[in-house]
Coordinates of all heavy atoms in Angstrom, one line a residue:
I9 N -12.4 -4.4 -10.9 CA -12.5 -3.0 -11.4 C -11.4 -2.2 -10.7 O -11.3 -2.0 -9.5 CB -13.9 -2.3 -11.0 CG1 -15.0 -3.2 -11.5 CG2 -14.0 -0.9 -11.5 CD1 -16.4 -2.8 -11.0
G10 N -10.4 -1.7 -11.6 CA -9.3 -0.9 -11.1 C -8.0 -1.6 -11.2 O -7.8 -2.7 -10.7
G11 N -7.1 -1.0 -12.0 CA -5.8 -1.6 -12.2 C -4.7 -1.0 -11.4 O -3.6 -0.7 -11.9
G12 N -5.0 -0.7 -10.2 CA -3.9 -0.3 -9.2 C -3.3 -1.6 -8.7 O -3.6 -2.7 -9.1
I13 N -2.4 -1.5 -7.7 CA -1.7 -2.6 -7.2 C -2.6 -3.7 -6.6 O -2.4 -4.9 -6.7 CB -0.5 -2.2 -6.3 CG1 0.5 -3.3 -6.2 CG2 -1.1 -1.8 -4.9 CD1 1.9 -2.9 -5.7
N14 N -3.7 -3.2 -5.9 CA -4.6 -4.2 -5.3 C -5.5 -4.9 -6.2 O -5.7 -6.1 -6.1 CB -5.3 -3.5 -4.1 CG -4.4 -3.2 -3.0 OD1 -3.8 -4.1 -2.4 ND2 -4.1 -1.9 -2.7
G15 N -6.0 -4.2 -7.3 CA -6.7 -4.9 -8.3 C -5.8 -5.9 -9.1 O -6.2 -7.0 -9.4
L32 N -10.6 -4.4 -15.5 CA -11.0 -3.2 -16.3 C -10.4 -1.9 -15.6 O -10.6 -1.7 -14.4 CB -12.5 -3.0 -16.3 CG -13.3 -4.2 -16.9 CD1 -14.8 -4.0 -16.7 CD2 -12.9 -4.3 -18.4
E33 N -9.6 -1.2 -16.3 CA -8.9 0.0 -15.8 C -9.3 1.2 -16.7 O -9.1 1.2 -17.9 CB -7.4 -0.2 -15.8 CG -6.5 1.0 -15.6 CD -6.8 1.9 -14.4 OE1 -7.0 1.3 -13.3 OE2 -6.9 3.1 -14.6
R34 N -9.7 2.3 -16.0 CA -10.2 3.5 -16.8 C -9.0 4.2 -17.5 O -9.2 4.8 -18.5 CB -11.0 4.4 -15.9 CG -10.1 5.0 -14.8 CD -10.8 6.1 -14.0 NE -9.7 6.5 -13.1 CZ -9.9 7.4 -12.2 NH1 -11.1 7.9 -12.0 NH2 -8.9 7.7 -11.4
N35 N -7.8 4.2 -16.9 CA -6.6 4.8 -17.5 C -5.7 3.7 -18.0 O -6.0 3.0 -18.9 CB -5.9 5.8 -16.6 CG -6.8 6.9 -16.2 OD1 -7.6 7.4 -17.0 ND2 -6.8 7.3 -14.9
T36 N -4.5 3.7 -17.4 CA -3.6 2.6 -17.7 C -3.2 1.9 -16.4 O -3.4 2.5 -15.3 CB -2.3 3.1 -18.4 OG1 -1.8 4.2 -17.6 CG2 -2.6 3.6 -19.8
I37 N -2.6 0.7 -16.4 CA -2.3 0.0 -15.2 C -1.3 0.9 -14.4 O -0.3 1.4 -14.9 CB -1.5 -1.3 -15.6 CG1 -2.5 -2.3 -16.3 CG2 -0.9 -2.0 -14.4 CD1 -3.7 -2.7 -15.4
G38 N -1.7 1.0 -13.1 CA -0.8 1.7 -12.1 C -0.7 3.2 -12.4 O 0.3 3.8 -12.0
S39 N -1.8 3.8 -12.9 CA -1.7 5.2 -13.3 C -2.0 6.1 -12.1 O -1.8 7.3 -12.2 CB -2.6 5.5 -14.5 OG -3.9 5.0 -14.2
E40 N -2.4 5.5 -11.0 CA -2.8 6.4 -9.8 C -1.8 6.2 -8.6 O -0.6 6.1 -8.9 CB -4.2 6.2 -9.4 CG -5.2 6.6 -10.6 CD -5.3 8.1 -10.8 OE1 -4.7 8.9 -10.0 OE2 -5.9 8.5 -11.8
A41 N -2.4 6.0 -7.4 CA -1.5 5.9 -6.2 C -0.4 4.9 -6.3 O 0.7 5.1 -5.8 CB -2.4 5.6 -5.0
S42 N -0.7 3.8 -7.0 CA 0.3 2.7 -7.0 C 1.6 3.0 -7.7 O 2.6 2.3 -7.5 CB -0.4 1.4 -7.6 OG -1.5 1.1 -6.9
S43 N 1.6 4.0 -8.6 CA 2.9 4.4 -9.2 C 3.5 5.6 -8.5 O 4.6 6.0 -8.7 CB 2.7 4.8 -10.7 OG 2.5 3.7 -11.4
A44 N 2.7 6.2 -7.5 CA 3.2 7.3 -6.8 C 4.0 6.9 -5.6 O 4.8 7.7 -5.0 CB 2.1 8.3 -6.4
A45 N 3.8 5.7 -5.1 CA 4.3 5.3 -3.8 C 5.8 5.2 -3.7 O 6.4 4.9 -4.7 CB 3.6 3.9 -3.4
A46 N 6.3 5.3 -2.5 CA 7.7 5.2 -2.3 C 8.2 3.7 -2.3 O 9.3 3.4 -2.3 CB 8.1 5.8 -0.9
G47 N 7.2 2.8 -2.2 CA 7.5 1.4 -2.3 C 8.0 0.7 -1.0 O 8.4 -0.4 -1.0
M48 N 7.8 1.4 0.2 CA 8.2 0.8 1.4 C 7.3 -0.3 1.8 O 6.1 -0.2 1.7 CB 8.2 1.8 2.6 CG 9.2 2.9 2.4 SD 9.1 4.2 3.7 CE 7.6 5.0 3.2
L49 N 7.9 -1.4 2.3 CA 7.2 -2.6 2.8 C 7.3 -2.5 4.4 O 8.0 -3.3 5.0 CB 7.7 -3.9 2.3 CG 7.7 -4.0 0.7 CD1 8.4 -5.3 0.3 CD2 6.3 -3.8 0.1
G50 N 6.7 -1.4 4.9 CA 7.0 -1.0 6.3 C 6.0 -1.5 7.3 O 5.4 -0.7 8.0
T177 N -10.8 1.8 -20.0 CA -12.2 1.3 -19.9 C -12.8 1.6 -18.5 O -12.4 1.0 -17.5 CB -12.2 -0.3 -20.1 OG1 -11.6 -0.6 -21.4 CG2 -13.6 -0.8 -20.2
S178 N -13.6 2.6 -18.5 CA -14.1 3.1 -17.2 C -15.4 2.3 -16.9 O -16.3 2.3 -17.7 CB -14.4 4.6 -17.4 OG -14.5 5.2 -16.1
V179 N -15.5 1.8 -15.7 CA -16.8 1.1 -15.3 C -17.7 2.2 -14.7 O -17.3 3.0 -13.9 CB -16.5 0.0 -14.3 CG1 -17.8 -0.6 -13.7 CG2 -15.6 -1.1 -14.9
F180 N -19.0 2.1 -15.1 CA -20.0 3.1 -14.6 C -20.9 2.5 -13.6 O -21.3 3.1 -12.6 CB -20.8 3.6 -15.8 CG -20.0 4.3 -16.8 CD1 -20.0 3.9 -18.1 CD2 -19.2 5.4 -16.5 CE1 -19.2 4.5 -19.1 CE2 -18.5 6.1 -17.4 CZ -18.4 5.6 -18.7
A206 N -11.9 -2.3 -6.8 CA -10.6 -2.0 -6.3 C -10.2 -0.6 -7.0 O -9.1 -0.5 -7.6 CB -9.6 -3.1 -6.7
G207 N -11.1 0.3 -6.9 CA -10.9 1.6 -7.6 C -10.2 2.7 -6.8 O -10.2 3.9 -7.1
G208 N -9.4 2.2 -5.7 CA -8.7 3.2 -4.9 C -9.6 4.3 -4.4 O -10.7 4.1 -4.0
A209 N -9.1 5.5 -4.5 CA -9.8 6.7 -3.9 C -11.1 7.0 -4.7 O -11.9 7.8 -4.2 CB -8.9 7.9 -3.9
W210 N -11.3 6.3 -5.8 CA -12.5 6.6 -6.6 C -13.6 5.4 -6.5 O -14.6 5.4 -7.1 CB -12.1 6.7 -8.1 CG -11.2 7.9 -8.3 CD1 -11.5 9.1 -8.6 CD2 -9.8 7.9 -8.1 NE1 -10.4 9.9 -8.6 CE2 -9.3 9.2 -8.4 CE3 -8.8 6.9 -7.8 CZ2 -8.0 9.5 -8.3 CZ3 -7.5 7.3 -7.7 CH2 -7.1 8.6 -8.0
T211 N -13.3 4.5 -5.6 CA -14.2 3.3 -5.5 C -15.6 3.7 -5.1 O -16.6 3.2 -5.7 CB -13.6 2.4 -4.4 OG1 -12.3 2.0 -4.7 CG2 -14.4 1.1 -4.3
L214 N -18.5 4.4 -7.8 CA -19.2 3.3 -8.6 C -20.7 3.3 -8.2 O -21.0 3.5 -7.1 CB -18.5 1.9 -8.3 CG -17.2 1.7 -8.9 CD1 -16.5 0.6 -8.3 CD2 -17.3 1.5 -10.4
V227 N -6.4 11.4 0.2 CA -5.3 12.1 0.8 C -4.2 12.2 -0.2 O -3.4 11.3 -0.4 CB -4.9 11.4 2.1 CG1 -3.8 12.2 2.8 CG2 -6.0 11.1 3.1
K228 N -4.1 13.4 -0.7 CA -3.0 13.7 -1.7 C -1.6 13.7 -1.0 O -1.5 14.2 0.1 CB -3.2 15.0 -2.4 CG -2.1 15.5 -3.3 CD -2.3 16.9 -3.7 CE -1.3 17.3 -4.8 NZ -0.3 18.3 -4.3
G229 N -0.7 13.1 -1.7 CA 0.7 13.1 -1.2 C 1.7 13.6 -2.3 O 1.6 13.1 -3.4
D230 N 2.5 14.5 -2.0 CA 3.6 15.0 -2.9 C 4.9 14.2 -2.4 O 5.1 14.0 -1.2 CB 3.8 16.5 -2.8 CG 2.6 17.3 -3.3 OD1 2.0 16.7 -4.2 OD2 2.4 18.4 -2.9
I231 N 5.7 13.9 -3.4 CA 6.9 13.1 -3.1 C 7.9 13.4 -4.2 O 7.6 13.9 -5.3 CB 6.4 11.6 -3.1 CG1 7.5 10.6 -2.8 CG2 5.7 11.2 -4.4 CD1 7.0 9.2 -2.4
Y251 N 10.5 10.9 5.2 CA 11.2 9.6 5.1 C 12.1 9.6 3.9 O 11.8 10.3 2.9 CB 10.3 8.4 5.1 CG 9.2 8.4 4.1 CD1 9.5 8.1 2.7 CD2 7.9 8.5 4.4 CE1 8.5 8.1 1.8 CE2 6.8 8.5 3.5 CZ 7.1 8.3 2.2 OH 6.1 8.2 1.2
A264 N 6.7 12.0 2.5 CA 5.7 12.5 1.5 C 4.7 13.4 2.3 O 4.5 13.2 3.5 CB 4.9 11.3 0.9
T265 N 4.1 14.4 1.6 CA 3.2 15.2 2.3 C 1.8 14.6 2.4 O 1.5 13.6 1.7 CB 3.0 16.6 1.5 OG1 2.6 16.3 0.2 CG2 4.3 17.3 1.5
W303 N 6.5 14.2 -7.9 CA 5.2 13.7 -8.5 C 4.2 13.7 -7.3 O 4.6 13.9 -6.1 CB 5.4 12.4 -9.2 CG 5.8 11.2 -8.3 CD1 5.0 10.3 -7.7 CD2 7.2 10.9 -8.0 NE1 5.8 9.4 -7.0 CE2 7.1 9.7 -7.1 CE3 8.4 11.4 -8.3 CZ2 8.2 9.1 -6.6 CZ3 9.5 10.8 -7.7 CH2 9.4 9.7 -6.9
S304 N 3.0 13.3 -7.6 CA 2.0 13.2 -6.5 C 1.1 12.0 -6.7 O 1.1 11.4 -7.8 CB 1.2 14.5 -6.4 OG 0.3 14.5 -7.5
G305 N 0.3 11.6 -5.7 CA -0.6 10.5 -5.8 C -1.7 10.7 -4.8 O -1.6 11.5 -3.8
I306 N -2.8 10.0 -5.0 CA -4.0 10.2 -4.1 C -4.1 8.9 -3.3 O -4.5 7.8 -3.9 CB -5.3 10.4 -4.9 CG1 -5.1 11.5 -5.9 CG2 -6.4 10.8 -3.9 CD1 -4.8 12.9 -5.4
R307 N -3.9 8.9 -2.0 CA -4.0 7.7 -1.1 C -5.5 7.5 -0.9 O -6.2 8.5 -0.6 CB -3.3 7.9 0.2 CG -1.8 8.2 0.1 CD -1.3 8.5 1.5 NE 0.0 9.0 1.6 CZ 0.4 10.3 1.5 NH1 -0.5 11.2 1.4 NH2 1.7 10.6 1.5
P308 N -6.0 6.3 -0.9 CA -7.4 6.0 -0.6 C -7.5 5.7 0.9 O -7.1 4.6 1.3 CB -7.7 4.8 -1.5 CG -6.4 4.1 -1.8 CD -5.3 5.1 -1.4
A328 N -11.9 -4.1 -2.3 CA -10.5 -4.1 -1.9 C -10.0 -2.7 -2.1 O -9.5 -2.3 -3.1 CB -9.7 -5.1 -2.8
A329 N -10.3 -1.9 -1.1 CA -10.0 -0.5 -1.2 C -9.7 0.1 0.2 O -9.9 -0.5 1.2 CB -11.1 0.3 -1.8
G330 N -9.1 1.3 0.2 CA -8.9 2.0 1.5 C -7.6 1.7 2.1 O -7.4 1.7 3.3
H331 N -6.6 1.3 1.3 CA -5.3 0.9 1.9 C -4.4 2.1 2.3 O -3.3 1.8 2.8 CB -4.5 0.0 0.8 CG -5.2 -1.3 0.5 ND1 -6.3 -1.3 -0.2 CD2 -4.9 -2.5 0.9 CE1 -6.7 -2.6 -0.4 NE2 -5.8 -3.3 0.3
Y332 N -4.9 3.3 2.1 CA -4.3 4.5 2.6 C -2.7 4.5 2.4 O -2.3 4.5 1.3 CB -4.6 4.6 4.1 CG -4.2 5.9 4.8 CD1 -4.2 7.1 4.1 CD2 -3.8 5.9 6.1 CE1 -3.8 8.3 4.7 CE2 -3.5 7.1 6.7 CZ -3.4 8.3 6.0 OH -3.0 9.4 6.7
R333 N -1.9 4.5 3.4 CA -0.5 4.7 3.3 C 0.3 3.4 3.0 O 1.5 3.3 2.9 CB 0.1 5.2 4.6 CG -0.3 6.6 5.0 CD 0.1 7.0 6.4 NE 1.6 6.8 6.6 CZ 2.4 7.8 6.5 NH1 2.0 9.1 6.2 NH2 3.7 7.6 6.6
N334 N -0.5 2.2 3.0 CA 0.2 0.9 3.0 C -0.2 0.0 1.9 O -0.1 -1.2 2.1 CB 0.0 0.3 4.4 CG 0.7 1.1 5.5 OD1 1.9 1.2 5.5 ND2 -0.1 1.7 6.4
G335 N -0.7 0.5 0.8 CA -1.3 -0.4 -0.2 C -0.3 -1.2 -0.9 O -0.6 -2.3 -1.5
I336 N 1.0 -0.8 -1.0 CA 2.0 -1.6 -1.6 C 2.4 -2.7 -0.7 O 2.3 -3.9 -1.1 CB 3.3 -0.7 -1.9 CG1 2.9 0.6 -2.7 CG2 4.3 -1.5 -2.7 CD1 2.1 0.5 -3.9
L337 N 2.7 -2.4 0.5 CA 2.9 -3.4 1.5 C 1.8 -4.5 1.6 O 2.0 -5.7 1.6 CB 3.1 -2.8 2.9 CG 2.9 -3.7 4.2 CD1 4.1 -4.6 4.3 CD2 2.8 -2.8 5.4
L338 N 0.5 -4.0 1.6 CA -0.6 -4.9 1.8 C -1.1 -5.6 0.5 O -2.0 -6.5 0.6 CB -1.8 -4.1 2.4 CG -1.5 -3.4 3.8 CD1 -2.7 -2.6 4.2 CD2 -1.2 -4.5 4.8
Ligands
LIG401 C1 3.0 9.8 -2.1 C2 2.6 8.4 -1.7 C3 3.6 7.5 -1.1 C4 3.2 6.2 -0.8 N1 4.1 5.4 -0.2 C5 3.8 4.1 0.1 C6 4.7 3.2 0.5 O1 5.9 3.5 0.6 N2 4.3 1.9 0.9 C7 3.0 1.6 0.8 O2 2.7 0.4 1.1 N3 2.1 2.4 0.3 C8 2.4 3.7 0.0 N4 1.5 4.5 -0.5 C9 0.1 4.1 -0.5 C10 -0.2 3.3 -1.8 O3 0.3 4.0 -2.9 C11 -1.7 3.1 -1.9 O4 -2.3 2.6 -0.7 C12 -2.0 2.0 -3.0 O5 -1.3 2.3 -4.2 C13 -3.5 1.9 -3.3 O6 -3.6 1.0 -4.4 P1 -5.0 0.7 -5.0 O7 -4.8 -0.3 -6.0 O8 -6.0 0.4 -3.9 O9 -5.4 2.1 -5.7 P2 -4.9 2.9 -6.9 O10 -3.4 2.7 -7.2 O11 -5.3 4.3 -6.8 O12 -5.6 2.2 -8.1 C14 -7.0 2.4 -8.3 C15 -7.2 2.2 -9.8 O13 -8.6 2.1 -10.1 C16 -8.9 2.8 -11.3 N5 -10.3 3.1 -11.3 C17 -11.0 3.9 -10.4 N6 -12.3 4.0 -10.7 C18 -12.5 3.2 -11.8 C19 -13.6 2.8 -12.6 N7 -14.8 3.3 -12.4 N8 -13.4 2.0 -13.7 C20 -12.2 1.5 -14.0 N9 -11.1 1.8 -13.3 C21 -11.2 2.7 -12.2 C22 -8.0 4.0 -11.2 O14 -7.8 4.6 -12.5 C23 -6.7 3.4 -10.6 O15 -5.8 3.0 -11.6 C24 1.8 5.8 -0.9 C25 0.9 6.7 -1.5 C26 1.3 8.0 -1.9 C27 0.3 8.9 -2.6

Side-chain angles (χ1 to χ4, degrees):
I9 303 170
I13 200 159
N14 288 295
L32 301 172
E33 163 56 46
R34 63 174 185 185
N35 296 321
T36 53
I37 292 300
S39 50
E40 298 290 351
S42 300
S43 287
M48 292 176 288
L49 305 176
T177 305
S178 203
V179 172
F180 300 120
W210 299 268
T211 306
L214 286 164
V227 182
K228 175 189 186 244
D230 293 333
I231 181 164
Y251 54 72
T265 58
W303 63 95
S304 72
I306 313 294
R307 303 176 187 89
H331 295 73
Y332 186 34
R333 293 170 58 96
N334 295 296
I336 310 305
L337 163 68
L338 300 176

